Amino acid sequence: MLFLFAVGCDPSLPDSSARQADGADTADTTHEPEDSGHAGNQTGSGDTDTPDTGVPDTDAAKPTTFALDGQLGVDAATAVVGGAANQDQLAECVVAVGDLDVDGALDLGLGAPGHTDDRGAVALVLGPLPAQTSLASATLLTGEDAGDDAGRSFAAGDLEGDGVPEILVGAAGAGAGGRAYLIRGPTDTMELAASDLVLEGTDSEDLGTSVAVLGDLDGDGWPDAVVGAPDLGGHPGAFYLLRGGASLPTTLTTEDLPVVRGARDWDHVGAFLAGADDLDGDGRADLLVGGDGGSRAWVVYGDDQLAGSLDLEITALGRVTALSGSGNAGARMVAPGDVDGDGLGDLVVAAPSREDGSLANAGAVFVLPGPLDELEEVDVESAAVAWAYGLEEAARFGDALDATDLDGDGSIDLVVGGRGAAGSEAGAVYVLQGPIESGRLALEKAPRIEGASEGDKLGYALALPGDLDGDDLPDLVVGAWGTGNRAGSAYVFPLWRPAD
């Protein structure tokens, strides 16, 4: 049974404060993501049949060399997807969606929450990608009403086990409390109102702020999905569990779903959600949960007792590790396997608002060695064996985060974006090559890709989807939603190139 999945983005709340977060843009009423845990995206990794996102096939006819070395610009991209109109904000969310049309080529998903008066859209760009294309030629899943913000979060995965991924789209600005839409693949251009399943939020809970498709969290043999509602109950927040199966229901309400609720006010549980490899070795997928309280995040271990209504506390939920830290620690997390070389799976935690001395909002990334202690609260900074900080004030290092063996040396490499890096919010993406040594990592020497112009915000989102352009070599996709008066762009960079 094929359980392909991709974890989606975890964007900012669609309110006026989020749209005015960057100071200079206070006169602009478009989607300016808040400097909070609701930022950027993450693509997941796990024990499912995801595409190879790092080393090319060793049986390839032509020798290759690692392409991400030194300082690169967007002119190194081999393909570009552009927004169709000002304020589309294309590529605010970037997701590896697998092969949606089952033609043997990998496809790409891009969120455009500003599309058509903030209705928002998900653009599905079918592979192999040409050198230049735009949102106008993509398969579009469009929001229902102005202000819905559809596409600020979405994910893809095969929940029914038929080899074709489903699409799960969040629209936290829709209706009275947000919506989440499930669309069975393959799909054509459509309005989200025609989705196979619509989950309706209530009471300003901001349902759909984050969504993710996971492996088997509850041990029933089927992959699962989760939907975040970070303002449920006021501010504690929650996430709902949507179980996969051979035939997904077409009529459900959130009252029908298991829910895990935040236990403290202002935790905003469910602001970030992502799947993880089996961190505790029990054969079940695990779940990474971030809040918007700025100080807490959680690892929820797969458990067949996830049913009914539960509190996200060590004593109530049972199998959970709580994480604490400053600077929105847990706004981004990934569990890619063994990062520090000790043979055990590790957790990487980003804190994009972390200060570094006098550098406010420089951002930071911490590597926590596994296994983590269950039923404990872990201080992220104290537990870290390696860490890196952004190089400048307001760099927001950690806005986006992923990890895999990019360069073929057998060790995990980290890919980290920061939309405020490289001066004047041009943005940048850094590659921290493994093996990751203990202590502070020298970001100054790391290979990087920098945005071309002020306000491009390159590095707010990224994904490692595999080979998108049909050259049999894996690619890195980086979003820059600020380009072209916020029309937005997604750049495809080859991880490898033919050897000279």
Side-chain angles (χ1 to χ4, degrees):
M1 185 180 297
L2 178 67
F3 286 171
L4 181 140
F5 77 99
V7 175
C9 307
D10 55 298
S12 63
L13 289 170
D15 60 16
S16 58
S17 63
R19 297 189 182 112
Q20 298 179 0
D22 282 351
D25 296 327
T26 53
D28 190 342
T29 58
T30 57
H31 306 261
E32 180 66 30
E34 188 177 8
D35 287 340
S36 69
H38 303 309
N41 88 308
Q42 172 171 341
T43 52
S45 58
D47 54 349
T48 58
D49 295 326
T50 51
D52 181 10
T53 57
V55 186
D57 187 351
T58 55
D59 295 329
K62 297 181 180 180
T64 57
T65 184
F66 188 58
L68 299 183
D69 53 358
Q71 181 175 319
L72 303 176
V74 296
D75 55 351
T78 56
V80 181
V81 185
N86 294 342
Q87 312 301 335
D88 274 346
Q89 293 184 214
L90 183 71
E92 189 176 313
C93 183
V94 180
V95 175
V97 296
D99 183 7
L100 291 171
D101 54 354
V102 201
D103 66 349
L106 294 176
D107 307 315
L108 178 66
L110 301 171
H115 182 65
T116 314
D117 297 325
D118 299 349
R119 285 174 171 81
V122 171
L124 303 175
V125 187
L126 302 181
L129 268 64
Q132 293 281 343
T133 188
S134 77
L135 181 147
S137 59
T139 298
L140 289 184
L141 312 177
T142 55
E144 297 185 61
D145 299 302
D148 280 2
D149 290 340
R152 212 178 261 277
S153 68
F154 71 98
D158 182 15
L159 291 169
E160 293 187 314
D162 59 1
V164 182
E166 280 73 46
I167 306 291
L168 183 61
V169 180
R179 295 189 184 112
Y181 303 88
L182 183 69
I183 303 101
R184 288 188 173 90
T187 185
D188 295 320
T189 291
M190 59 175 284
E191 292 188 1
L192 289 170
S195 299
D196 295 290
L197 173 65
V198 180
L199 288 174
E200 192 83 31
T202 59
D203 299 328
S204 301
E205 63 180 295
D206 289 319
L207 183 79
T209 292
S210 60
V211 296
V213 180
L214 323 170
D216 179 16
L217 187 66
D218 59 0
D220 65 355
W222 293 93
D224 302 303
V226 284
V227 180
D231 277 340
L232 180 69
H235 305 291
F239 65 85
Y240 297 93
L241 175 65
L242 177 62
R243 291 188 168 97
S247 180
L248 294 172
T250 57
T251 56
L252 274 178
T253 69
T254 55
E255 293 180 354
D256 299 318
L257 303 178
V259 59
V260 178
R261 302 170 182 268
R264 301 183 188 179
D265 204 6
W266 302 105
D267 271 349
H268 289 292
V269 167
F272 168 78
L273 296 167
D277 280 333
D278 180 12
L279 289 170
D280 57 353
D282 68 350
R284 297 186 180 97
D286 301 316
L287 175 63
L288 308 177
V289 181
D292 187 24
S295 62
R296 303 188 78 212
W298 301 264
V299 179
V300 178
Y301 300 98
D303 197 321
D304 58 12
Q305 300 301 312
L306 289 173
S309 178
L310 301 167
D311 285 338
L312 187 54
E313 279 295 332
I314 292 171
T315 56
L317 190 59
R319 305 191 61 241
V320 60
T321 297
L323 306 172
S324 61
S326 61
N328 288 328
R332 203 71 68 253
M333 294 183 283
V334 64
D338 180 19
V339 177
D340 59 3
D342 65 357
L344 301 173
D346 303 314
L347 179 66
V348 185
V349 179
S353 296
R354 185 72 165 83
E355 65 181 23
D356 183 21
S358 63
L359 300 179
N361 295 312
V365 167
F366 302 93
V367 178
L368 276 60
L372 299 172
D373 291 332
E374 295 182 23
L375 307 180
E376 296 288 345
E377 183 156 333
V378 176
D379 180 81
V380 168
E381 190 168 356
S382 298
V385 295
W387 54 91
Y389 283 84
L391 299 177
E392 58 214 302
E393 187 172 18
R396 300 275 310 176
F397 180 70
D399 266 344
L401 173 67
D402 210 339
T404 191
D405 179 12
L406 297 174
D407 54 12
D409 66 353
S411 58
I412 298 292
D413 309 304
L414 307 182
V415 188
V416 187
R419 71 176 184 262
S424 301
E425 293 198 321
V429 169
Y430 300 84
V431 177
L432 295 169
Q433 292 174 277
I436 300 297
E437 299 180 355
S438 60
R440 181 160 180 159
L441 306 176
L443 193 61
E444 296 86 349
K445 300 179 181 180
R448 73 195 65 182
I449 302 167
E450 294 190 350
S453 302
E454 178 180 345
D456 280 357
K457 303 181 193 299
L458 181 133
Y460 181 71
L462 61 86
L464 293 163
D467 174 26
L468 286 174
D469 52 10
D471 63 357
D472 295 324
L473 298 173
D475 299 307
L476 165 67
V477 182
V478 179
W481 61 263
T483 62
N485 198 16
R486 301 188 180 183
S489 303
Y491 298 96
V492 180
F493 297 92
L495 293 176
W496 293 77
R497 61 174 179 261
D500 297 331

